[in-house]
Amino acid sequence: MGRSVKSAKSSIKETFQLMDSLQETVRNDIKSNISSFEESLRTRLNDAENAIIESSRAREAMVAGIITMRKSIEKAQRKFSRSNNVDDLRNTLLEVAKDISRLKLANDKISDSISMVLHPNMSAVEAVEKFAFDLQRFAGSWERIGREIDQSISDLCDDQEPSELVELEAFISKQGYDKLIQGQVHSKSSGVESE
């Protein structure tokens, strides 16, 4: 027996609900993934920004310190050329050597900080790759629901002759009535076509 209009409408309504569910799932999956993606990128840039700015400040301070040390050495040289006091020159050079050691340690810390920026836990490219991978993974479940929608539509499409029509034709044939009307139906249908 063919599908009733009420049954078809009910099934179509269920298919629309499935479609609404798919749309909501896609929206939620994309929304949660975009939030995670944006957070990854924001973290990457914030970490880089902090390290780069601190590095720039530290390097400016180092340059200022180096300039001061250079002036101190030049002053000690001038004083030495007037007094020939090696101890004063040596003391100045020892102080500068200590300052240079401190600057090298500071530079190592800057290098470590910059290294973390250059080799992060997750680069921007990796964040994009993860986002794309997650979307692809979710797309598998979206496709499954899409197939369910297509199957539901396919199930609702009944292009077969109603079984009642087949049964009626069989009954007419079994009774032998098809012989009585065969010529009449054929000539009437030809007449309708010619009109």
Side-chain angles (χ1 to χ4, degrees), residues 29-38 40-41 122 124-138:
D29 289 346
I30 289 175
K31 185 178 176 182
S32 68
N33 276 303
I34 282 182
S35 296
S36 174
F37 172 64
E38 289 172 346
S40 295
L41 290 180
M122 182 179 288
V125 171
E126 290 169 330
V128 171
E129 288 172 348
K130 181 182 181 313
F131 177 69
F133 176 78
D134 287 345
L135 284 183
Q136 192 172 18
R137 185 171 44 90
F138 283 119

Side-chain angles (χ1 to χ4, degrees), residues 111-135:
S111 294
D112 289 345
S113 175
I114 292 298
S115 177
M116 292 298 289
V117 169
L118 295 175
H119 308 287
N121 291 335
M122 182 179 288
S123 69
V125 171
E126 290 169 330
V128 171
E129 288 172 348
K130 181 182 181 313
F131 177 69
F133 176 78
D134 287 345
L135 284 183

Side-chain angles (χ1 to χ4, degrees), residues 128-167:
V128 171
E129 288 172 348
K130 181 182 181 313
F131 177 69
F133 176 78
D134 287 345
L135 284 183
Q136 192 172 18
R137 185 171 44 90
F138 283 119
S141 66
W142 303 341
E143 287 173 16
R144 180 185 50 76
I145 298 170
R147 279 194 279 294
E148 288 178 26
I149 291 171
D150 286 341
Q151 185 60 51
S152 177
I153 291 169
S154 178
D155 291 347
L156 291 171
C157 293
D158 186 3
D159 61 351
Q160 301 296 316
E161 290 181 343
S163 60
E164 293 83 0
L165 177 59
V166 173
E167 289 171 7

Side-chain angles (χ1 to χ4, degrees), residues 20-105:
D20 291 342
S21 171
L22 173 59
Q23 290 173 336
E24 187 65 25
T25 299
V26 169
R27 260 193 298 277
N28 289 338
D29 289 346
I30 289 175
K31 185 178 176 182
S32 68
N33 276 303
I34 282 182
S35 296
S36 174
F37 172 64
E38 289 172 346
E39 183 59 31
S40 295
L41 290 180
R42 193 174 299 108
T43 299
R44 168 76 171 119
L45 189 55
N46 286 340
D47 291 348
E49 177 187 26
N50 293 337
I52 291 167
I53 289 174
E54 288 305 313
S55 166
S56 297
R57 285 182 182 142
R59 289 199 188 275
E60 284 180 4
M62 287 174 69
V63 169
I66 291 167
I67 291 169
T68 302
M69 286 186 274
R70 178 96 180 190
K71 287 180 182 178
S72 178
I73 291 172
E74 290 170 354
K75 183 178 175 183
Q77 281 178 323
R78 284 193 302 273
K79 190 174 179 184
F80 173 72
S81 66
R82 286 190 304 264
S83 69
N84 282 339
N85 186 341
V86 175
D87 289 335
D88 282 346
L89 181 60
R90 184 179 293 121
N91 288 338
T92 299
L93 292 173
L94 286 172
E95 286 299 316
V96 167
K98 287 178 190 174
D99 289 343
I100 288 173
S101 292
R102 281 196 300 270
L103 287 179
K104 285 189 175 197
L105 287 174

